[in-house]
């Protein structure tokens, strides 16, 4: 229930905090335990802390393992088949990106009780809400389609026709989600999460070269040199490992699970554990593909996930090919569930609909209806014959990488909005890290754009020039911010108990932040650039398809 505070002139109390859906307030019913709403008992022993973590754990692990979806499995396998062990270092660099991005949305969800789409709409206006969420809807729909591509290819490996396995998988996805019981859904997801551990025997039975794998982790490089195709794949790795849908999903899922600031540290631990799991899984897939294809005639000739499974079977053993096909199928189901749910959460936020897994179908028809419609439509598109499935998968992950900077920018802006987060706003060091992350992502997408327009450009030299320009811009911008904030008064620190109980006031009571002309221009330039980058990505995909 909303807390009550100041009184209006008509003597009715004004709500000072908001829970948009009343089902978002109450006991936490996790897959492995329950925490009562009024539980204020201290956790002094490790046993109590572990039991609390067991009840909280879920949103972080699900979003991260869902990140290793069909597109992720295929992209990591492509990196191993086409570039051997040489791109493993990208996964190490993505660990802090994952943790920083997801920690911010965890904080937003727990403190505000409001989904990201609604926060953007209320704080920045309808235009920027549709700019952010419109791209998310398109991207998520394409990603869901790639999940069914994974289902189709995995089924084909075992001899099942797509017209059988794809519709059955769609029915399973809808069935585990529309139960109207959050705990039941979360437990069903954990079944698939445990199945994803098959990546460990996949890597072990592939008999990789330990020395080459270690070198791939610690020595950045690209086998065959830096080309526009290599940049495209690196952006795809970034886009599938740190995808925009994750930001929307985890914030809304934290709210739906009823996690409040009191339990924030446990949810951060859940997120950090998920980041470790996702990187280990990604590395295992990349290593297995590198071990199987290095030195063979298939090296450098990635087609799709089915080709990877067949190659593993031919070059190592039938068992390893079977394990990969099972991993691909499992990843497709987890990814489809999480991405579709992220879209339905955002849909509910944008249109003010009831959107909670605690509600039954009759109580949230449009929430579950939008979920079922997206699953059914995406499944239908995959059944179109002769589509270049492997290329579609890579292009969609690259699109996610291109759109990620704008999604991260909105998260950073919200996390610096004191009216929204109060004592929970970003620390200065976190803003510096987030700015560096956005800058690197923009650098990669600019390299892809320029190399698409000018195919003969020296990609290595281009990265050096753009990197130097961006570094100079960051230094100038950093100096300007430091000078502007040097004399600003620091907000006093709240005692821990007050900080834990602080929640965002009702959105209706908050004035929208005023943007400076500089910020408005910068946002419009970024928006225009992203539209151009997406268009040129489509051109690049067509070039690869024709080639």
């Amino acid at each position: 229930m909303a807390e009550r505070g100041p009184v209006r002139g008509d003597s009715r109390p004004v709500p000072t905090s908001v829970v948009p859906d009343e089902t978002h307030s109450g006991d936490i019913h996790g897959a492995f335990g329950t925490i009562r709403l009024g539980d204020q008992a201290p956790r002094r022993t490790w046993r109590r802390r572990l039991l609390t973590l067991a009840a909280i754990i879920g949103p972080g692990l699900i979003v991260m393992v869902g990140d290793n979806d069909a597109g992720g499995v295929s992209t990591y396998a492509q990196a191993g088949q086409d570039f051997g062990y040489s791109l493993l270092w990208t996964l190490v660099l993505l660990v802090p990106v994952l943790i920083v991005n997801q920690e911010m949305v965890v904080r937003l969800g727990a403190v505000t009780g409001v989904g990201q789409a609604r926060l953007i709409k209320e704080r920045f206006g309808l235009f920027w809400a549709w700019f952010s969420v419109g791209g998310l809807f398109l991207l998520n729909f394409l990603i869901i389609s790639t999940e069914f591509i994974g289902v189709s290819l995995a089924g084909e490996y075992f001899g099942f026709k797509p017209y059988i396995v794809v519709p059955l998988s769609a029915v399973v996805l809808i069935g585990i989600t529309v139960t109207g019981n959050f705990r039941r859904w979360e437990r069903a997801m954990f079944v698939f999460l445990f199945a994803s551990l098959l990546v460990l025997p996949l890597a072990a039975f592939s008999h990789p070269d330990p020395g080459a794998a270690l070198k791939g982790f610690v020595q950045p490089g690209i086998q065959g040199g830096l080309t526009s195709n290599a940049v495209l794949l690196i952006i795809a790795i970034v886009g599938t490992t740190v995808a925009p849908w994750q930001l929307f999903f985890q914030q809304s899922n934290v709210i739906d699970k009823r996690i409040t600031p009191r339990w924030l540290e446990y949810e951060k631990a859940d997120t950090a554990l998920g980041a470790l799991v996702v990187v280990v899984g990604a590395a295992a897939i990349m290593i297995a593909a590198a071990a199987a294809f290095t030195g063979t005639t298939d090296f450098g000739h990635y087609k799709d996930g089915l080709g990877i499974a067949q190659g593993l079977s031919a070059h190592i053993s039938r068992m390893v090919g079977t394990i990969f096909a099972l991993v691909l199928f499992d990843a497709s189901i987890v990814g489809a569930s999480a991405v579709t749910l992220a879209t339905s959460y955002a849909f509910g936020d944008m249109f003010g609909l009831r959107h909670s897994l605690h509600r039954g179908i009759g109580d949230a028809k449009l929430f579950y209806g939008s979920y079922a419609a997206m699953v059914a439509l995406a499944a239908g598109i995959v059944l179109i014959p002769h589509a270049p499935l492997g290329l579609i998968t890579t292009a969609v992950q690259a699109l996610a990488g291109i759109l990620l900077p704008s999604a991260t920018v909105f998260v950073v802006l919200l996390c610096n909005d004191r009216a929204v987060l109060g004592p929970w706003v970003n620390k200065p060091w976190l803003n510096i890290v987030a700015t560096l992350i956005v800058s690197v992502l923009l650098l990669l997408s600019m390299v892809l754009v320029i190399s698409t327009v000018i195919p003969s450009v020296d990609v290595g030299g281009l990265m050096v020039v753009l990197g130097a320009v961006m570094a100079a811009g960051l230094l100038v911008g950093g100096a300007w911010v430091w000078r502007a904030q040097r004399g600003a008064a620091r907000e006093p620190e709240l005692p821990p108990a007050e900080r834990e109980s602080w929640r965002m006031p009702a959105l209706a009571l908050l004035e929208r932040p005023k943007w400076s002309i500089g910020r408005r221009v910068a946002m419009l330039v970024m928006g225009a650039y992203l539209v151009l980058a997406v268009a040129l990505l489509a051109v690049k995909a067509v070039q690869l398809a024709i080639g």
Side-chain angles (χ1 to χ4, degrees):
M1 296 294 293
E3 296 171 9
R4 298 290 175 179
V7 177
R8 308 175 199 249
D10 59 3
S11 299
R12 286 182 295 131
V14 178
T16 58
S17 69
V18 60
V19 180
D21 189 320
E22 59 269 25
T23 59
H24 291 159
S25 178
D27 298 342
I28 296 173
H29 296 292
F32 306 110
T34 297
I35 299 176
R36 299 300 175 191
L37 177 61
D39 186 345
Q40 296 296 322
R43 268 61 178 172
R44 293 196 177 94
T45 66
W46 279 106
R47 180 178 177 277
R48 290 276 292 166
R49 291 170 185 163
L50 289 174
L51 287 174
T52 303
L53 178 60
I56 295 292
I57 202 167
L61 268 176
I62 292 170
V63 75
M64 295 296 185
V65 176
D67 184 43
N68 274 0
D69 58 356
V73 169
S74 299
T75 302
Y76 304 137
Q78 180 181 359
Q81 180 174 355
D82 290 355
F83 296 94
Y85 300 95
S86 67
L87 292 181
L88 285 167
W89 57 273
T90 59
L91 301 176
V92 178
L93 296 180
L94 287 174
V95 173
V97 179
L98 277 168
I99 293 176
V100 167
N101 275 12
Q102 297 307 126
E103 187 278 335
M104 286 192 289
V105 294
V106 164
R107 203 163 4 109
L108 280 170
V111 175
T112 69
V114 176
Q116 190 175 146
R118 187 179 176 200
L119 279 177
I120 294 173
K121 178 182 175 182
E122 296 292 338
R123 301 303 288 158
F124 307 133
L126 201 56
F127 171 81
W128 288 111
W130 275 113
F131 176 83
S132 177
V133 176
L136 178 82
F137 286 162
L138 172 62
L139 174 63
N140 283 7
F141 177 73
L142 294 173
I143 292 176
I144 297 162
S145 298
T146 68
E147 310 303 356
F148 284 107
I149 289 174
V151 167
S152 174
L153 296 175
E156 192 174 342
Y157 179 83
F158 293 109
F160 297 110
K161 296 292 184 184
Y163 299 100
I164 296 174
V165 69
V166 169
L168 283 176
S169 299
V171 170
V172 169
L173 275 169
I174 295 171
I176 64 177
T177 304
V178 300
T179 61
N181 186 298
F182 186 96
R183 170 175 280 173
R184 196 176 299 140
W185 169 82
E186 192 169 76
R187 284 177 173 172
M189 295 305 296
F190 267 102
V191 172
F192 291 103
L193 297 191
F194 287 128
S196 69
L197 295 176
L198 283 170
V199 295
L200 300 178
L202 173 71
F205 294 148
S206 297
H207 307 297
D209 180 343
L214 180 61
K215 181 180 178 182
F217 277 118
V218 300
Q219 182 176 314
I222 302 172
Q223 189 166 333
L226 185 63
T227 64
S228 61
N229 288 349
V231 172
L232 175 66
L233 185 59
I234 291 174
I235 292 177
I237 291 172
V238 173
T240 193
T241 308
V242 194
W245 69 263
Q246 294 173 251
L247 304 174
F248 287 81
F249 173 85
Q250 192 169 5
Q251 183 169 334
S252 292
N253 202 237
V254 162
I255 296 164
D256 211 3
K257 192 164 183 177
R258 303 164 174 170
I259 294 172
T260 62
R262 171 163 168 71
W263 313 112
L264 199 50
E265 294 305 315
Y266 291 95
E267 180 51 31
K268 288 181 182 179
D270 174 33
T271 302
L273 178 60
L276 176 63
V277 169
V278 75
V279 169
V280 169
I285 294 165
M286 201 179 293
I287 286 171
F293 292 102
T294 299
T296 71
T297 55
D298 292 326
F299 185 80
H301 299 289
Y302 171 81
K303 180 184 176 186
D304 54 33
L306 176 60
I308 294 289
Q310 292 170 337
L312 288 168
S313 179
H315 298 303
I316 300 179
S317 70
R318 174 73 180 176
M319 179 184 67
V320 173
T322 299
I323 292 175
F324 179 84
L326 290 172
V327 167
L328 180 59
F329 178 80
D330 179 74
S332 302
I333 297 296
V334 176
S337 179
V339 177
T340 311
L341 195 54
T343 315
S344 294
Y345 278 140
F347 185 81
D349 274 333
M350 284 297 292
F351 296 102
L353 305 173
R354 292 172 173 174
H355 51 293
S356 173
L357 292 171
H358 292 286
R359 291 187 177 276
I361 297 178
D363 217 11
K365 295 183 183 69
L366 289 176
F367 173 61
Y368 290 118
S370 64
Y371 182 97
M374 278 185 291
V375 168
L377 188 55
I381 286 179
V382 171
L383 298 178
I384 297 173
H386 308 302
L389 303 183
L391 177 59
I392 291 172
T393 300
T394 303
V396 169
Q397 307 313 315
L399 176 61
I402 286 175
L403 294 179
L404 182 61
S406 67
T408 304
V409 164
F410 282 113
V411 171
V412 173
L413 290 174
L414 288 170
C415 283
N416 282 279
D417 190 337
R418 193 163 289 278
V420 168
L421 282 187
W424 295 96
V425 292
N426 277 0
K427 302 292 185 185
W429 68 266
L430 189 54
N431 286 327
I432 293 171
V433 173
T435 301
L436 289 174
I437 289 170
V438 171
S439 300
V440 172
L441 293 173
L442 284 173
L443 172 65
L444 287 172
S445 67
M446 281 192 284
V447 170
L448 177 63
V449 167
I450 295 172
S451 61
T452 300
V453 176
I454 312 172
S456 59
V457 71
D458 176 6
V459 176
L462 178 64
M463 286 197 72
V464 171
V465 172
L466 289 177
V469 171
M470 191 163 285
L474 288 173
L475 286 173
V476 172
W480 181 82
V481 170
W482 176 78
R483 183 176 180 182
Q485 296 183 347
R486 185 173 52 178
R490 296 186 64 180
E491 291 286 334
E493 290 282 336
L494 289 181
E498 283 187 48
R499 192 165 183 260
E500 283 185 2
S501 63
W502 196 95
R503 303 297 299 275
M504 181 188 73
L507 281 169
L509 299 178
L510 304 182
E511 292 185 10
R512 281 187 185 170
K514 290 183 172 26
W515 282 9
S516 65
I517 294 177
R519 174 177 286 186
R520 194 178 298 277
V521 169
M523 291 295 290
L524 289 172
V525 169
M526 184 184 73
Y529 167 74
L530 288 176
V531 171
L532 174 64
V534 170
L536 290 174
L537 173 62
V539 171
K540 181 70 175 178
V542 171
Q543 288 176 349
L544 290 174
I546 294 172

